[in-house]
Amino acid sequence: MSKIKPPRLAFVDLETTGGTATADRITEVGIIEVDEDGVREWSSLVNPQMPIPEFIQSLTGISNAMVEHAPSFADLADEIRERLADRIFIAHNARFDHGFLKNEFKRTGHEFRPSVLCTVRLSRKLFPGFARHNLDSIAERHRLQVTERHRALGDARLIWQFWQQIHETHAADLLEDTVARLISRPSLPSRLDAFQIESLPTSHGVYLFYGENDLPLYIGKSNNLRRRVLSHFSGDHASAKELEMSQQIERIDWLETAGELGALLQEAALIKKLAPTHNRQLRDNEEVCSWRLVMRKGKLQPVLATTDDLFFGHDPQLHGLFTSTRKAKDALRAIADAYGLCPALLGLEKHRAGKPCFSSQVQKCQGACAGKETVESHNERVAAALESLRLQTWPYEGAIGIRENGAVHVIDCWAYLGSTGTVAEARLLPQQGRQRFDRDVYQIMQKWLPKVSARVVQLGGATDEDPPPGIEITALPGSVLKESANDATNNAANDAANNATPDTD
Ligand SMILES: [Zn+2]
């Protein structure tokens, strides 16, 4: 054994007004400092500056009257900081105590980043045969001497006794090793099965967090599942919302994928399917609309089309993807203003033939409504103004498979149908009718298709509308793009295909 100084320890317990670190406050702090110089106990009541709920008062015995004249956390902050400085912070369900202190220190303008050791996790590691690791169970199992249960110093004494006891029953190097592993790991919610965390792979994949009653909380993807999941518990929460989410997690599930593309596609599909409460970004966007340019009585006009539309994804005249008709109209108005187009001719407002529209009276519209510009010239400018928003049409004949490290992702008309292990299996995936355009998949593929086009396998274009092709083409790189009239949209894909180099295979 190496002769290193024994670590400086702080056994800590807090009482609070409730369970939420960002909203509730501390009512009592108990600290037991252990180091070369011995053992010192310290505790203080804290005025939480908010009322203590009745049931918490009866649980802890700490009443509103008791804390009324106690110092506030701000008064005690310096002393507590000094007592905890350069010590391993040891607590039972340490995320709770650490979270509260972190938030209290934040209110006083200080950072709090101790090395944290959770005795729930330590107990779980050392005594894996037991199901329960709460303080009462541990006290009973190890016959600890209970002084004041549910008071800060009383509970801190229990974990200090537990610590001493395991040092009598376990080999020192085993303990050192276990503690070192737990400390180096960010503090996980103690409810989570430590073994489940241990078995998290370091590969690409999608992870799912579940809360109470198995409610889906959050879905994310990563190139390293283990690292990403652990980062959620690192304690460096960017926001109160993130902290709140991490405290709600009861269970983790995950899905390994063959690569990054597979993870992106699965993530989008699962978010749509499970609608987790904390995924705002990718949620609710099945309702997508786009401006379709149509010729009406000689005037080129945008008309709203939704993804219910059978030809969405194949129509070369669609422009922009919007999550509401209001956003679509706002965007079109902004374009009209920027390009001096006539809102009346665009159909955005009512208009009597020959009369100048309101927009032309304030010099925004260039006057096509009042004959100052020909309708043909206006039509050309409408098409030009919207060109940059034009959606790429699905550039293949039917479904394709994209190979990625032994997986084949099947996509048709910007919709993800699933992943298989082989091209033969991919051909068996149901591909009936036209697929519903999926905005997430469209956006993922806009970025990825140029990179992966050399790994695309055409699966055949049979749909209800089209007769099945006589021959099934397993396309070679470069020859997979459909020859079609809408060159404007296919040129981009062609260029991309020509420039593409396979990346990770
Ligand atoms: Zn006008």
Side-chain angles (χ1 to χ4, degrees), residues 56-128:
I56 301 235
Q57 291 189 49
S58 51
L59 174 76
T60 62
I62 299 172
S63 65
N64 285 318
M66 285 165 71
V67 296
E68 196 187 334
H69 300 292
S72 68
F73 188 87
D75 298 331
L76 294 166
D78 284 342
E79 168 151 27
I80 293 173
R81 249 151 56 87
E82 223 159 272
R83 289 186 180 277
L84 297 178
D86 306 318
R87 289 176 191 277
I88 299 172
F89 181 98
I90 305 174
H92 207 66
N93 192 4
R95 301 179 75 241
F96 178 89
D97 304 272
H98 175 233
F100 265 90
L101 280 172
K102 197 181 145 130
N103 273 284
E104 290 281 15
F105 278 123
K106 201 171 164 188
R107 291 185 191 105
T108 67
H110 294 100
E111 268 201 350
F112 182 57
R113 292 166 175 267
S115 299
V116 178
L117 176 65
C118 175
T119 43
V120 174
R121 298 177 61 217
L122 181 59
S123 172
R124 218 174 244 155
K125 267 264 185 277
L126 298 177
F127 306 97

Side-chain angles (χ1 to χ4, degrees), residues 340-346 349 351 355-361 364-370 378:
L341 301 173
C342 177
L345 261 66
L346 289 173
E349 46 189 66
H351 173 240
K355 295 269 180 194
C357 71
F358 175 74
S359 187
S360 74
Q361 290 164 38
K364 277 186 181 165
C365 159
Q366 289 181 12
C369 44
H378 188 261

Side-chain angles (χ1 to χ4, degrees), residues 363-406:
Q363 317 297 324
K364 277 186 181 165
C365 159
Q366 289 181 12
C369 44
K372 287 185 191 164
E373 181 188 13
T374 64
V375 174
E376 290 72 26
S377 156
H378 188 261
N379 287 347
E380 272 172 36
R381 294 198 304 113
V382 169
L386 287 170
E387 184 56 34
S388 66
L389 292 180
R390 190 199 284 258
L391 299 186
Q392 188 192 357
T393 56
W394 179 241
Y396 299 96
E397 198 69 59
I400 59 166
I402 301 172
R403 293 178 195 272
E404 187 183 42
N405 306 322

